[in-house]
Amino acid sequence: MDALAITLQYVFTGVAIGSIYAMVGLGFNIIYNCTGIINFAQGEFVMLGGMFMVTLTTVWKLPVGIAFPIAVLLVVLVGIGFERIAIHPLKNPSVLVLIMITIAGSILIKGLAMFAWGKEARYLPHFSGETPINIMGATILPQTLWVLASLLTVVVGLAYFFNRTLIGKAMRACAHNPDAARLVGISVKQMVTLSFGLSSGIGAIAGVVITPIILMDYQRGAMLALKGFGAAILGGLGSAPGAVLAGLLIGILESLGAGYISSHYKDAIALIVLLGVLFVRPGGLLGSADVQRLKKF
Amino acid sequence: MKKVLILTTILCLMLSGLGFAAEPAGEPIKIGAVFSVTGKASWLGEPERNTAKMIEAEVNAAGGINGRPIEVIVEDDAGVEANAVNAVKKLVTKDNVIAIVGPSVTGASLAVKPIAEEFGVPLISCAAAESIVNPVAKWVFKTPQKDSDCAIRIFEYMKSKGLTKVAIITSTDAFGDNGRKQLKAHAPQMGIEIAADETYGPADTDMTAQLTKIKASDAQAVINWSVVPAQVTVSKNMRQLGMTIPLYQSHGFGNVKYAQASGEAGEGIIFPAGRLLVVDTLADDNPQKAVLAKYKSDYESKFNDQVSTFGGHAYDALWLVINAIKEVGPDKAKIRDYVENTKGFVGTGGIFNFSPEDHCGLDKTAFEMIIVKDSKFVALSAVEKSAAQVIMIQED
Amino acid sequence: MKHYISLAFFIVVVMGLPMIVRNPYYVGTLVFVGIYSLITISLSLLLGYAGQISLGHAAFYGIGAYTSGLLATRCHLSPWIGLVCAAVVAGVLAYSIGRPVLKLRGHYLAMATLGFGEIVYIFLNSTVELTGGPSGFGQIPRFAVGAFSFKNDTRFYYLVWVTVIILLVLVLNVINSRIGRALRSIHGSETAANTMGVNTASYKMQVFVFSAAVSSIAGAYYAHYVTFVSPATFDANTSILLVTMVIIGGMSNVWGAILGALLLGTLPEYLRTFGDYDILIYGAIMLIIMMFAPEGLAGIAAAVKRKFEGTLVPRAAA
Amino acid sequence: MLEVNGLSKEFGGVIAVNDLSFRVVERQIKSIIGPNGAGKTTLFNLLTGLAPCTRGNITFLGKNICGLKPHVIAELGMSRSFQNVEIFDNMSILENVMLGRHCRTGCGVLNVALRRKRAVEEERKIREEALRQIETVGLDADPDASPASLPFGKRRLVEFARALATSPKLLLLDEPVSGLNIRETEQVAELIRRLRSSGITVMLVEHDMSVVMEISDDVLVMDYGTKIAEGKPRDVQRNEEVIARYLGQSRSNAESTKP
């Protein structure tokens, strides 16, 4: 391999890793936008998406095209159920309490998944085979293209939803000023439920497309959530393009770090850059510190 | 003031709660077990716990030991060192067990080592790292094979194939780290040059960056050393990069599901492991065959799951204790002495010969070189023998 | 005055417990509770009073354990000196990262501290020659004064809990003073606090450094108690656990911090009997507390107290 | 006592305060009026150091305070209230006011942690002074209660008491009577006069013209960040530009909001 091909391979690897982070990071934004909280159970939604997909395709023998939407739907139901049971009944909860509830929820979902799918990693076949695609001497797996395509679809879909549809606009209004939204007749509580449904759906899509690459086990969610959280923060909370940009950036940094500096410190390198960016831009790459200042937390 | 009253009440209630399982005046002989039944290494603790419970039922069904039933008290440490410390203390001081099997993972085993010494209770760890028994601690033993022997077996095999330059890639957990240390320690004396030394996080999802670096080096083979599912990713990433040099794994690959998940990329992976994985392809005269076949069929029929070497470590540890109790009775010191002087014990991990200097009891012959063929584990010797036969037939 | 009676009562209970509870397992469990309490008390000062979240305190905990442990095993320094060094190292580190980090707010602050914790974790994992890497290192000596070694659990219990009591006294004094008010004012509104003459940046820094140093001391205790350390003990999960303890306990209450450490420190021990189901019960307990008692255990205690008084008053009247 | 010269503030291209100059003399009540968005609150933020000024300088008691941190300015003797009342709901009423004494007291961490005699003594004085200020503003509420449940008017009084507890020489009040009923408004106006007679200089931003005209010694009218008039209330009231740009409309506003 010549130097160029090697560099290109690092970039491809970074994109492959980063697209996973971005995919997970996207899910954080919707709930954040609507409620101002970080949903620590987001990683569990991703895990559930993958696990349902494994069951549907390997046990029920459904084709990918049918199993995919069913898996996503099931996770959406879990997400909405979680919100209805644990968050909906609360009156005026503080941000920290909500975050704690999502942490507790993540422990519960993790425990249930352990009973449902066992403790070992589960495997899902790649959607379009494992023959790598060769570009100028560097390779990328077809499954990574699936991840990137889902990423693009979700970002475009979200942009359309928030800017063009009435519900999407209502949701943004809630995020901006819940009291004012309430005054014009938007049910903030329903919007919160919806945001959980949407977030869990996006998490599930992420879980479905990344499981063939990473293998899924019941405790995968936490690690994915941490990386996704990093992407969401670096991009600027609430910004979908930011999360994608930041996710890819973190992935590429890790990959280049492993390739050119040291694989022992690759995660540290990415984190140091993340911290550096936050020190210069306290609201993330595409976020605004002024808007952030207005948030409750 | 009242706040504190309430505080203390809660405190007292909690403490009294701790003692709710008052110790029953006991017929059964109690053996403790500390496994990572939940948490990061729960896929290790699960087969270990199952195995222990299976043996408990088996021994008791056969009338126990000298008429007394055994009771295996399994504690979960969730892979957390502080929990393991508490669990061992509980087993020793509250349950009054006479020996402890486990913990499952290296870190927890090292953390409880001083406690076993302090309380004088025999402890047989199911974790791999050699540092558990080196330096030797009076009361601490372990059943998994030695890391160093694993490294030596891989190097020996490499040399037999004329390969001298190797890239190592290890996970950044205690298992991978110990492997890395052993590989680096034994390479020079075996005449092996380490051409690349890469690591990855146990939860990492992609190792193509590290492998690209290895590909660009002049390594003739890759050794991956970890127990996590990422082992599968390594083989897949190698295939993605079109790397054709052989991949060797450590004994951490001892779960056939990994071979299955690797698919085509897993074909031809060679690694040293206990013979449990290849019991079907072992020669009938192998001294371990009977033990292995029984454990495999018992386990697989009872739990409807494939057997792994990890459960085997618990199997060996618990039987060592049970055998000792049968011989010398339920006495901690006598059990310890008995285990230390056990010779020729046929377990799933190999044939154990303990001594005051060696609390592992296994040597490199405990390992069988295993190859992945059609997503199954096959003894390399069997493959090579049949290949040789084919050649001989052709020559005829 | 009132909290002095409470404190005296607490001291009597804590000091008297080992006379009743002699089993090393119970005492050992309480030693861990004590170690956690040191961190949660200092963290409640940071989180509950000054309103600054940190998801990186396991790093300071780990730095304490490693600094003191390494000095004792490699340099054969007395653990007491190691303890002081640990506090200083963590304090200096907290000071050096505090300036940029504490400018961040909310989730960004959470991420920055989380990232810092991960960097320290990676460092402990990767510098194999220095720290022993992921396998950690053992044979750390215990604390001793002359020939008196804190070798058994009861002795260590006293060492840890006396430290907790000292910390508690100091912290209670601080929170009921002008400095305590200044910290709470930062939580209330940083702008208003500033214009009322509170140097918010400086107080945030002071309390951050203080909590880092205390966590580091807790880490040193851990190292010399367990006598073995490995990085896995000091990962992000531990940071999250510590913050959870503070919030479950009731975050703007130091007594709550101790309650939180007590509950989550002993809960895994209660749940031993439930086997695999422990993870579900653990999650459910957390969820229920947060849903029905957002003020945490201290909030429950206060509500019980009110109820208690409510039933007492009419009876007295009758 | 306060001298502002050529003060400007830009927020990313938008000019909030433009080349503003004025003076406040001791024991004066100076009102700043102007339509919404005229830059009045921004001016207060600049004076108290919450926002850095882009150009110009502010001299307070003979000292240039541009670029100083808010807590330093507070120590110099400037205190303020906020338009929408920023008091600390996580503290009791008394503690809120006691916080005001923060910059007038100096016991360090060590002193208070060890409860040295000096700290105990100081704490007692802080409490006395705080109680005195609660009395000054005429707040009748349990000082140990949380301010969260107080009606708006009383919350404002808590904020005044807290500001007074800092022993200010110059007190900035941002819309001190907005949201108050007539009786409360009178009470506050009376309080401001009393404070002036006790030696405190007061600057206020206010929309309620009756209050402004009644109590002010001097009025400064702002629009789009610039000064359009300054002088005695009577003179300002007659200023044609002011009437055209502000007073007329404001009056009708004020009348329509007060039924």
Side-chain angles (χ1 to χ4, degrees):
Chain A
M1 272 175 113
D2 58 89
L4 181 69
I6 290 176
T7 311
L8 197 61
Q9 183 62 54
Y10 291 149
V11 173
F12 280 7
T13 302
V15 169
I17 305 171
S19 59
I20 295 172
Y21 300 163
M23 206 62 224
V24 181
L26 273 178
F28 281 106
N29 283 332
I30 294 144
I31 293 179
Y32 174 80
N33 270 346
C34 199
T35 62
I37 69 168
I38 282 292
N39 169 29
F40 270 82
Q42 189 61 31
E44 269 57 42
F45 294 149
V46 178
M47 179 269 294
L48 282 181
M51 287 301 199
F52 278 127
M53 188 70 179
V54 169
T55 305
L56 291 169
T57 52
T58 59
V59 180
W60 296 66
K61 307 279 181 214
L62 292 178
V64 171
I66 297 172
F68 199 150
I70 299 179
V72 173
L73 198 68
L74 287 172
V75 180
V76 168
L77 291 179
V78 173
I80 291 178
F82 172 62
E83 197 276 338
R84 282 277 149 175
I85 294 168
I87 292 176
H88 210 74
L90 305 180
K91 285 182 225 122
N92 259 331
S94 77
V95 172
L96 272 178
V97 164
L98 283 174
I99 291 174
M100 279 295 129
I101 284 176
T102 64
I103 290 181
S106 78
I107 295 174
L108 268 177
I109 295 175
K110 193 158 70 175
L112 291 170
M114 181 179 89
F115 285 103
W117 287 284
K119 293 169 185 173
E120 283 179 344
R122 305 298 290 258
Y123 168 70
L124 191 64
H126 289 230
F127 296 171
S128 321
E130 295 182 43
T131 317
I133 299 160
N134 194 318
I135 301 165
M136 293 165 67
T139 56
I140 195 160
L141 287 174
Q143 191 65 33
T144 299
L145 300 182
W146 272 94
V147 180
L148 288 170
S150 324
L151 203 54
L152 197 69
T153 315
V154 169
V155 172
V156 172
L158 283 180
Y160 180 82
F161 176 76
F162 281 121
N163 294 321
R164 294 291 154 87
T165 67
L166 199 62
I167 298 183
K169 286 179 186 166
M171 212 157 164
R172 268 176 47 204
C174 289
H176 242 75
N177 187 340
D179 296 325
R182 219 168 274 130
L183 281 178
V184 296
I186 299 169
S187 163
V188 175
K189 285 226 158 190
Q190 272 181 25
M191 287 298 143
V192 173
T193 309
L194 185 66
S195 75
F196 267 82
L198 207 55
S199 270
S200 52
I202 291 172
I205 294 173
V208 170
V209 294
I210 68 178
T211 298
I213 302 177
I214 70 168
L215 304 186
M216 197 56 83
D217 61 75
Y218 77 99
Q219 37 194 349
R220 232 335 120 52
M223 166 266 169
L224 290 169
L226 284 188
K227 294 287 191 181
F229 183 41
I233 289 280
L234 179 60
L237 273 175
S239 160
V244 174
L245 181 71
L248 293 177
L249 185 67
I250 294 174
I252 290 171
L253 279 170
E254 283 183 10
S255 165
L256 290 177
Y260 289 117
I261 303 173
S262 155
S263 52
H264 312 299
Y265 293 103
K266 67 179 170 54
D267 290 351
I269 294 162
L271 284 169
I272 287 169
V273 172
L274 191 158
L275 290 183
V277 170
L278 286 188
F279 295 161
V280 183
R281 288 188 62 87
L285 288 174
L286 301 187
S288 153
D290 291 334
V291 170
Q292 222 270 308
R293 201 162 292 149
L294 297 174
K295 291 276 178 189
K296 282 175 285 183
F297 184 77
Chain B
M1 180 62 206
K2 296 241 170 56
K3 198 189 286 172
V4 176
L5 254 174
I6 293 152
L7 230 153
T8 354
T9 320
I10 296 172
L11 201 116
C12 293
L13 276 176
M14 295 191 76
L15 280 167
S16 62
L18 272 171
F20 67 86
E23 65 191 57
E27 270 293 291
I29 299 171
K30 289 182 187 169
I31 302 167
V34 179
F35 297 134
S36 300
V37 182
T38 59
K40 275 178 270 183
S42 52
W43 42 272
L44 273 177
E46 174 93 358
E48 289 168 350
R49 193 255 322 260
N50 288 347
T51 303
K53 284 291 168 191
M54 183 179 89
I55 296 174
E56 179 188 32
E58 185 189 327
V59 170
N60 289 340
I65 303 174
N66 303 330
R68 287 177 70 181
I70 62 165
E71 185 188 349
V72 181
I73 304 171
V74 179
E75 298 294 348
D76 176 20
D77 66 11
V80 175
E81 285 148 22
N83 289 5
V85 166
N86 281 341
V88 168
K89 278 185 188 154
K90 170 184 178 282
L91 289 170
V92 178
T93 63
K94 188 159 158 268
D95 300 323
N96 292 315
V97 300
I98 50 155
I100 292 171
V101 175
S104 309
V105 294
T106 300
S109 300
L110 291 170
V112 302
K113 198 173 164 182
I115 301 170
E117 294 292 296
E118 184 186 336
F119 289 101
V121 62
L123 182 133
I124 307 183
S125 167
C126 297
E130 224 162 313
S131 44
I132 297 166
V133 291
N134 180 23
V136 173
K138 189 178 169 198
W139 295 89
V140 180
F141 303 86
K142 78 173 190 105
T143 52
Q145 303 87 349
K146 286 181 201 152
D147 293 337
S148 56
D149 287 337
C150 182
I152 290 168
R153 285 299 295 263
I154 298 174
F155 287 152
E156 280 175 356
Y157 179 78
M158 276 179 60
K159 281 180 80 178
S160 76
K161 297 285 166 195
L163 306 173
T164 55
K165 281 185 183 159
V166 69
I168 63 172
I169 178 162
T170 56
S171 60
T172 53
D173 49 19
F175 185 83
D177 178 55
N178 273 288
R180 180 165 171 242
K181 284 175 186 158
Q182 294 297 344
L183 288 169
K184 285 166 90 171
H186 288 278
Q189 67 202 59
M190 302 283 297
I192 302 273
E193 184 195 326
I194 292 181
D197 170 16
E198 298 292 325
T199 59
Y200 55 85
D204 278 4
T205 55
D206 192 308
M207 289 98 206
T208 40
Q210 290 93 324
L211 289 167
T212 302
K213 227 167 146 185
I214 290 175
K215 193 181 177 189
S217 75
D218 55 354
Q220 297 161 318
V222 179
I223 301 175
N224 172 59
W225 197 298
S226 64
V227 270
V228 283
Q231 304 181 85
V232 175
T233 315
V234 172
S235 62
K236 291 196 169 217
N237 286 164
M238 279 181 72
R239 187 166 178 274
Q240 180 196 337
L241 293 173
M243 292 169 76
T244 49
I245 54 176
L247 169 64
Y248 303 118
Q249 300 269 14
S250 72
H251 48 320
F253 199 65
N255 184 337
V256 77
K257 283 171 200 146
Y258 290 157
Q260 287 159 355
S262 303
E264 277 178 57
E267 289 300 301
I269 288 176
I270 293 173
F271 67 103
R275 296 187 174 82
L276 180 61
L277 300 174
V278 290
V279 57
D280 300 333
T281 56
L282 279 185
D284 285 340
D285 60 350
N286 188 301
Q288 278 182 275
K289 180 138 185 172
V291 170
L292 294 173
K294 180 175 182 309
Y295 173 52
K296 185 177 158 78
S297 71
D298 285 357
Y299 188 95
E300 293 186 349
S301 63
K302 182 156 187 180
F303 298 106
N304 192 25
D305 194 10
Q306 279 148 327
V307 77
S308 70
T309 50
F310 315 124
H313 300 320
Y315 183 92
D316 296 346
L318 192 53
W319 275 112
L320 275 168
V321 173
I322 292 170
N323 286 344
I325 300 169
K326 277 182 182 162
E327 289 301 319
V328 297
D331 179 284
K332 290 178 198 163
K334 284 183 187 161
I335 292 172
R336 189 210 82 87
D337 294 344
Y338 184 87
V339 172
E340 187 169 77
N341 293 306
T342 298
K343 304 276 185 225
F345 167 73
V346 181
T348 64
I351 296 165
F352 290 84
N353 292 301
F354 289 99
S355 72
E357 293 77 40
D358 181 8
H359 277 196
C360 171
L362 293 174
D363 58 21
K364 64 182 183 182
T365 60
F367 283 115
E368 184 78 24
M369 293 307 283
I370 293 171
I371 185 164
V372 177
K373 210 175 167 209
D374 303 327
S375 295
K376 288 195 185 74
F377 290 149
V378 184
L380 189 62
S381 55
V383 177
E384 281 174 348
K385 202 193 279 171
S386 62
Q389 274 164 358
V390 170
I391 293 164
M392 274 160 65
I393 293 164
Q394 281 170 343
E395 279 175 357
D396 281 350
Chain C
M1 200 56 222
K2 210 167 122 194
H3 76 259
Y4 276 98
I5 305 170
S6 318
L7 198 63
F9 201 79
F10 178 74
I11 292 172
V12 170
V13 170
V14 165
M15 292 290 116
L17 258 179
M19 320 262 172
I20 310 159
V21 184
R22 287 171 184 279
N23 186 309
Y25 161 55
Y26 301 144
V27 178
T29 307
L30 290 174
V31 168
F32 283 117
V33 171
I35 291 173
Y36 289 138
S37 295
L38 287 175
I39 308 178
T40 53
I41 291 172
S42 72
L43 205 53
S44 93
L45 212 51
L46 181 68
L47 177 63
Y49 287 85
Q52 307 298 308
I53 195 165
S54 165
L55 289 180
H57 262 55
F60 298 119
Y61 184 34
I63 285 166
Y66 271 84
T67 307
S68 191
L70 284 174
L71 285 175
T73 47
R74 298 279 171 92
C75 312
H76 304 288
L77 278 179
S78 150
W80 300 109
I81 298 174
L83 188 80
V84 176
C85 293
V88 171
V89 169
V92 169
L93 192 67
Y95 184 78
S96 54
I97 67 155
R99 200 156 288 275
V101 165
L102 290 173
K103 277 189 190 144
L104 300 170
R105 287 169 44 90
H107 296 300
Y108 292 85
L109 177 62
M111 182 65 225
T113 47
L114 189 69
F116 162 74
E118 281 298 287
I119 292 170
V120 169
Y121 176 73
I122 293 165
F123 177 81
L124 294 179
N125 253 318
S126 303
T127 50
V128 178
E129 282 72 28
L130 178 69
T131 62
S135 328
F137 67 97
Q139 287 161 322
I140 301 169
R142 293 177 187 273
F143 285 106
V145 177
F148 181 86
S149 165
F150 290 90
K151 64 176 191 291
N152 72 28
D153 295 281
T154 310
R155 287 177 183 182
F156 210 93
Y157 172 93
Y158 280 114
L159 178 64
V160 169
W161 280 96
V162 165
T163 318
V164 172
I165 289 168
I166 292 172
L167 179 70
L168 191 63
V169 172
L170 297 181
V171 167
L172 280 174
N173 282 342
V174 167
I175 59 178
N176 291 307
S177 75
R178 61 186 286 270
I179 291 169
R181 283 188 296 274
L183 292 178
R184 273 179 290 167
S185 72
I186 301 173
H187 195 177
S189 158
E190 212 173 319
T191 333
N194 244 320
T195 46
M196 287 305 118
V198 176
N199 186 351
T200 52
S202 157
Y203 277 112
K204 282 200 297 194
M205 178 67 98
Q206 283 179 33
V207 71
F208 187 62
V209 169
F210 174 74
S211 68
V214 172
S215 303
S216 184
I217 288 173
Y221 278 150
Y222 175 90
H224 295 286
Y225 175 62
V226 178
T227 73
F228 168 84
V229 291
S230 83
T233 310
F234 311 107
D235 62 0
N237 287 330
T238 309
S239 287
I240 293 172
L241 175 70
L242 292 168
V243 171
T244 308
M245 284 175 175
V246 174
I247 297 176
I248 290 267
M251 64 171 185
S252 43
N253 189 318
V254 260
W255 296 102
I258 299 176
L259 275 180
L262 181 68
L263 177 74
L264 294 190
T266 54
L267 201 53
E269 304 302 321
Y270 291 106
L271 298 180
R272 287 197 180 287
T273 33
F274 296 101
D276 281 13
Y277 294 94
D278 58 358
I279 180 171
L280 290 179
I281 301 170
Y282 188 95
I285 290 177
M286 249 182 89
L287 191 66
I288 290 167
I289 292 178
M290 281 291 99
M291 280 181 70
F292 299 107
E295 302 282 302
L297 297 175
I300 298 177
V304 170
K305 176 188 156 195
R306 273 196 298 275
K307 192 136 199 185
F308 192 60
E309 284 172 348
T311 53
L312 270 185
V313 172
R315 206 181 298 159
Chain D
M1 124 166 291
L2 182 76
E3 202 173 324
V4 172
N5 267 321
L7 189 68
S8 296
K9 173 69 186 174
E10 290 173 25
F11 287 111
V14 181
I15 299 168
V17 173
N18 189 10
D19 195 23
L20 192 68
S21 305
F22 66 90
R23 293 179 62 175
V24 180
V25 296
E26 212 150 314
R27 289 195 169 216
Q28 194 179 37
I29 296 178
K30 178 141 192 157
S31 292
I32 301 184
I33 61 171
N36 285 325
K40 304 181 301 281
T41 298
T42 307
L43 173 64
F44 269 21
N45 287 346
L46 294 175
L47 293 177
T48 49
L50 283 177
C53 37
T54 315
R55 271 185 306 279
N57 57 53
I58 306 165
T59 314
F60 178 53
L61 299 171
K63 196 171 173 198
N64 185 7
I65 57 167
C66 251
L68 290 187
K69 291 262 189 295
H71 65 95
V72 181
I73 297 174
E75 249 169 74
L76 287 173
M78 198 192 294
S79 191
R80 72 173 284 186
S81 73
F82 291 87
Q83 196 174 338
N84 29 5
V85 182
E86 299 228 12
I87 55 178
F88 312 116
D89 286 340
N90 55 346
M91 298 192 227
S92 73
I93 293 168
L94 180 63
E95 284 171 322
N96 260 283
V97 183
M98 284 168 84
L99 178 86
R101 291 305 291 163
H102 189 85
C103 58
R104 298 287 164 245
T105 46
C107 270
V109 179
L110 220 57
N111 276 318
V112 300
L114 299 174
R115 276 186 80 82
R116 288 258 189 67
K117 208 171 171 188
R118 191 179 146 215
V120 177
E121 182 63 18
E122 192 179 80
E123 183 76 5
R124 195 181 53 77
K125 280 190 186 151
I126 293 173
R127 177 179 291 266
E128 278 170 11
E129 174 67 17
L131 287 169
R132 207 169 62 82
Q133 295 302 349
I134 291 177
E135 213 180 283
T136 307
V137 299
L139 175 68
D140 63 335
D142 174 11
D144 291 320
S146 161
S149 52
L150 286 182
F152 188 75
K154 290 191 176 179
R155 287 171 67 82
R156 185 143 265 163
L157 292 183
V158 175
E159 199 185 25
F160 288 163
R162 185 182 69 188
L164 289 175
T166 64
S167 311
K169 298 189 175 70
L170 174 64
L171 187 60
L172 311 184
L173 302 175
D174 198 347
E175 304 198 18
V177 301
S178 77
L180 301 190
N181 62 32
I182 296 172
R183 203 177 51 80
E184 287 169 333
T185 304
E186 273 169 16
Q187 209 182 334
V188 169
E190 166 59 28
L191 174 65
I192 293 172
R193 270 196 224 102
R194 244 190 309 133
L195 291 177
R196 191 254 304 266
S197 54
S198 74
I200 297 173
T201 313
V202 180
M203 261 180 93
L204 59 140
V205 162
E206 191 45 71
H207 284 294
D208 188 326
M209 280 311 132
S210 55
V211 172
V212 170
M213 297 309 163
E214 190 190 325
I215 64 172
S216 305
D217 299 316
D218 213 40
V219 176
L220 182 137
V221 189
M222 277 177 81
D223 198 7
Y224 295 110
T226 48
K227 176 165 85 177
I228 55 173
E230 191 179 8
K232 297 261 175 275
R234 250 173 297 123
D235 303 337
V236 170
Q237 249 169 331
R238 284 191 217 113
N239 183 313
E240 276 176 29
E241 194 180 356
V242 175
I243 294 167
R245 290 202 18 202
Y246 177 56
L247 277 181
Q249 89 191 45
S250 167
R251 241 182 211 159
S252 58
N253 270 355
E255 274 153 21
S256 66
T257 49
K258 286 207 173 166

